[in-house]
Amino acid sequence: MDLIPLPHRMERAEGFFELGDGFGIEAGPGTEGTARWLRATLGAATGLALPPKKGDEYDVLHLSVRPGLDAEEYRLVVAPRGVHVQGGSPAGVFWGAQTMLQLLGPDAFRRAPLPGRTWRLPLTEIRDSPRFRWRGVMLDVARHFMPKDGVLRYLDLLAAHKLNVFHFHLTDDQGWRVEIRKYPRLTEVGSWRARTKFGHRASPLWEEKPHGGYYTQDDIREIVAYAAERHITVVPEIDVPGHSQAAIAAYPELGNTDVVDTTALSVWDSWGINPNVLAPTDNTLHFYEGVFEEVLELFPSEFIHVGGDECPKDQWRQSPTAQERIRELGLKDEDGLQGWFIGHFDSWLTARGRRLIGWDEILEGGLAKGAAVSSWRGYAGGVAAARAGHDVVMCPEQQVYLDHRQDAGADEPVPIGFVRTLEDVYRFEPVPAELTPDEARHVLGTQANLWTEVMEDRARVDYQAFPRLAAFAEVAWSGLPAPAERDFAGFERRLAVHYGRLDALGVAYRPPTGPRPWQRRPGVPGRPIDGPPPNR
C-alpha cells in the first residue's frame, strides 16, 4: 500500500472489497461534507452514483465521528462487506476518506471515468493521526498573480496531501491582490504593474506587458469556503510595514513623504528588498485598521499574518516624522519603532479575538505574549521565540523554501538559492533539537513556502512544489524517526506510485530524471548559491 503521507499503523489482510454499482454512503452526523466531497470527486472518477444507504445494507461506506479519537485522527477499515471511516472530528473523517481514495489507485483522482476500470480496495485496517496541528503551505500571489481557479486547484492538492493551512500571501511591493472596499485604489492602482522582471533581479530580461489581477471579496469568500470544506484554514497575509510599495503607489500618503516623493512611485516591477516602507504615523495605523477590519470579515482564521520582514530603516532614519515618533514613544531606535508598529496591530487583533503571526523579524523590537512567529531565517528565530513563550511555525528558508532549486544541474529553470533535493526535504526536522520538551510544545507545526518571483505561471509553481511537497507532507503528518534514520528509499518506492496520482491530477511536477524540455528556461539568469545550506 503505497500511501503518502505514511500512516501510523497499517494491517493488511488477504482479499479485496470491490465497489459495484450499488455502492453507497451512510453519512453520520458531522460527516455530510465528506460525503458530498466524495460524491463530487470519487463519483466523477468512477461514474458511481454513491447514493445514501443505511448501515445494515451491503456495499456501504460508513462515515462517522467517533468520540475518543483525537480531532484529526482517523480509523479506516476495509472489510468484506463494506468500508468504515471513523474520525475524531469531521476533519479526521475527511483525512480517512483521502486515504481511501489513494487505496483505489491513481485513476481515482481523475475527473471522469476511464473505460474498463474496476474499483477495489485491499482489505485493511489503518489507524492514523498527524504529528503537527499546523501543516502549511505559503503561496505568494503578489509577485505573480494566480487566478482563482488555480488557487482552488492548489487547495485540492493540499487536501490530497493532508496539509491543512493555506498561508495566502496577498500583498507586496509588486501587487495588492485583495479587494478592500474602503480603499478602492488598492486594487485599481495597486493590483497591476506595467512590466515584470524576468528572472533574478540582476537579469537584463523584462516581460514588457502589464501584469496583474486581484480577488474580489466574493472570490475570497469562495476560496475560504472551498478550503473549509476540505478542512483547510486560510491564513491571510497583509504585509506591514515593509513590502508595501504597491499600497504606497495607490495611496502616497502612506509612505515617508518627508523623505521621498511618494507620488512618483508605481507598483514595483522588480524583485528584492524595497526601501519604500510605510510611515509610522497615526494616519497609516488608521488606514490599515480599515484594511484589517475587512480582512477579518473575510477570513475567520485564528491567526492573521502581518509580514513584518525585510523592513529597511533608512527612510525612518532620515525622516523627521519618524524620529519625532521615536522620541515621543521613548524608543531606543528604529527597530523599536517597528516593534511598536507591530505591537499596535497585535493589540488591535487581540481585542477582536484574533492572534497576530509574523515573520521572525518581529522579535527584534519586542513582541507581545500572544503573538506567534513564522521562523524563516533558519531555526534561530524559532528557538528564540519558543524559549520566550511564543508559538512558532517552522519554515526555515534553507530547508523548505521550495522556490530554491532542486538540483545543481544547468537545466534547472531560473535556479534560485541552495540546492534542496527531494531527499533534503524528506530529512527536514521541524523541531530544533536544542529545545526542551516544554519549549518544543510551542512549535505549532511547519510550513513550506512558495515565493513566485521566478514562477510566472501555474506550471512553474507545480514544478517547484512537486514532488518535494509530497515529501514535506510526510514530514508534517507522519511520526518519522530522526532525519538520518528515515527510510528515503522506501519513500521513493511509494512516490513512484504517487507520480501516477499527480499525473491524474494534472500536476506538472519535476520528473526524477530532471526537467522536461518545456520546463527549462535557458538563458534566464537566477541566483544559485553553492555549497550546503546552513543548518541553524
Side-chain angles (χ1 to χ4, degrees):
M1 293 184 290
D2 300 300
L3 301 173
I4 292 177
L6 185 68
H8 177 67
R9 177 182 169 189
M10 294 184 289
E11 296 179 7
R12 174 77 164 90
E14 291 294 325
F16 293 87
F17 171 83
E18 189 163 319
L19 282 63
D21 290 338
F23 185 68
I25 300 175
E26 180 191 31
T31 72
E32 298 85 357
T34 296
R36 184 168 56 249
W37 173 80
L38 282 168
R39 290 189 178 100
T41 55
L42 182 58
T46 63
L48 300 175
L50 305 177
K53 297 189 81 170
K54 296 188 180 298
D56 56 355
E57 300 180 62
Y58 289 98
D59 295 341
V60 178
L61 168 60
H62 308 270
L63 304 176
S64 61
V65 174
R66 178 184 174 187
L69 298 178
D70 290 339
E72 292 189 281
E73 184 178 359
Y74 70 86
R75 181 172 178 242
L76 168 62
V77 179
V78 182
R81 296 180 54 174
V83 184
H84 297 261
V85 178
Q86 300 171 331
S89 71
V93 176
F94 181 74
W95 304 132
Q98 287 282 4
T99 298
M100 186 190 75
L101 212 63
Q102 288 198 18
L103 289 174
L104 284 166
D107 288 338
F109 290 86
R110 296 190 180 275
R111 296 188 182 183
L114 300 183
R117 296 298 190 271
T118 58
W119 301 97
R120 62 181 194 171
L121 292 163
L123 301 184
T124 186
E125 180 175 346
I126 296 174
R127 297 189 179 194
D128 200 12
S129 60
R131 180 184 180 190
F132 294 111
R133 60 171 273 205
W134 186 301
R135 307 180 302 280
V137 174
M138 191 284 307
L139 179 64
D140 164 24
V141 296
R143 273 52 175 265
H144 278 101
F145 179 66
M146 182 177 285
K148 182 188 66 179
D149 64 334
V151 174
L152 298 178
R153 172 180 176 266
Y154 251 83
L155 291 169
D156 282 329
L157 293 175
L158 265 62
H161 292 83
K162 298 185 175 69
L163 296 164
N164 70 342
V165 176
F166 180 60
H167 175 168
F168 207 6
H169 183 82
L170 288 163
T171 73
D172 218 294
D173 300 300
Q174 297 84 1
W176 185 284
R177 305 292 181 217
V178 56
E179 177 189 21
I180 302 297
R181 291 174 176 166
K182 188 173 183 178
Y183 305 119
R185 286 177 58 84
L186 287 172
T187 47
E188 290 171 0
V189 173
S191 70
W192 68 277
R193 56 183 181 263
R195 64 177 187 168
T196 298
K197 176 71 71 172
F198 195 39
H200 181 248
R201 61 179 174 270
S203 167
L205 304 176
W206 294 90
E207 186 179 39
E208 296 285 354
K209 68 177 184 180
H211 176 88
Y214 67 93
Y215 311 102
T216 68
Q217 293 204 355
D218 282 345
D219 289 337
I220 293 292
R221 292 184 182 97
E222 179 184 357
I223 289 167
V224 169
Y226 194 86
E229 288 177 350
R230 287 147 183 79
H231 300 278
I232 295 170
T233 299
V234 183
V235 175
E237 180 178 355
I238 305 294
D239 252 311
V240 296
H243 288 291
S244 297
Q245 183 162 317
I248 297 169
Y251 291 92
E253 66 271 20
L254 297 175
N256 293 283
T257 57
D258 54 352
V259 177
V260 295
D261 178 10
T262 57
T263 63
L265 295 177
S266 59
V267 178
W268 206 25
D269 55 14
S270 190
W271 319 124
I273 300 176
N274 189 300
N276 294 299
V277 303
L278 298 174
T281 63
D282 290 342
N283 176 68
T284 301
L285 296 181
H286 295 327
F287 182 97
Y288 273 87
E289 286 173 0
V291 169
F292 282 116
E293 282 172 357
E294 296 192 28
V295 167
L296 295 191
E297 291 176 1
L298 296 170
F299 297 93
S301 55
E302 175 186 3
F303 289 96
I304 303 294
H305 208 291
V306 300
D309 63 314
E310 297 180 329
C311 178
K313 308 299 191 299
D314 292 345
Q315 290 185 357
W316 287 356
R317 292 187 186 98
Q318 299 169 35
S319 164
T321 302
Q323 293 303 310
E324 175 59 29
R325 177 125 279 184
I326 289 173
R327 289 190 292 272
E328 169 192 316
L329 296 170
L331 302 173
K332 180 180 178 182
D333 54 19
E334 290 77 17
D335 285 342
L337 188 59
Q338 178 167 336
W340 165 81
F341 198 107
I342 297 296
H344 174 87
F345 287 103
D346 186 18
S347 299
W348 190 90
L349 289 168
T350 298
R352 287 154 181 81
R354 307 297 187 94
R355 293 179 65 187
L356 179 145
I357 186 168
W359 303 109
D360 55 56
E361 286 97 327
I362 67 175
L363 290 164
E364 293 169 1
L367 192 57
K369 185 175 181 180
V373 170
S374 301
S375 183
W376 76 274
R377 294 179 299 176
Y379 287 93
V383 170
R387 286 178 173 167
H390 296 291
D391 288 338
V392 179
V393 176
M394 295 302 301
C395 49
E397 174 188 16
Q398 304 88 344
Q399 314 300 326
V400 288
Y401 268 36
L402 299 187
D403 45 299
H404 282 212
R405 58 192 173 135
Q406 304 181 63
D407 189 88
D411 286 338
E412 287 302 308
V414 200
I416 297 295
F418 295 101
V419 173
R420 289 287 83 195
T421 66
L422 178 69
E423 182 171 359
D424 291 331
V425 174
Y426 192 68
R427 297 194 189 280
F428 164 61
E429 173 48 50
V431 179
E434 58 264 47
L435 294 181
T436 67
D438 283 343
E439 292 165 347
R441 277 191 275 274
H442 284 291
V443 178
L444 298 177
T446 184
Q447 181 172 291
N449 293 342
L450 288 157
W451 300 101
T452 62
E453 287 94 334
V454 300
M455 298 183 222
E456 72 276 11
D457 55 30
R458 191 174 83 174
R460 280 287 289 124
V461 176
D462 279 5
Y463 180 90
Q464 293 301 131
F466 290 99
R468 292 183 296 180
L469 196 61
F472 173 80
E474 187 148 308
V475 169
W477 177 279
S478 306
L480 298 177
E485 300 167 9
R486 293 176 187 173
D487 182 10
F488 179 67
F491 173 76
E492 283 190 303
R493 286 192 295 272
R494 288 182 284 119
L495 186 62
V497 174
H498 197 66
Y499 283 128
R501 300 180 189 120
L502 297 179
D503 286 332
L505 288 163
V507 177
Y509 57 86
R510 181 190 189 274
T513 54
R516 297 180 173 95
W518 57 87
Q519 293 174 320
R520 300 166 189 164
R521 296 291 185 274
V524 182
R527 185 182 60 92
I529 304 174
D530 293 328
N535 191 23
R536 62 179 187 275

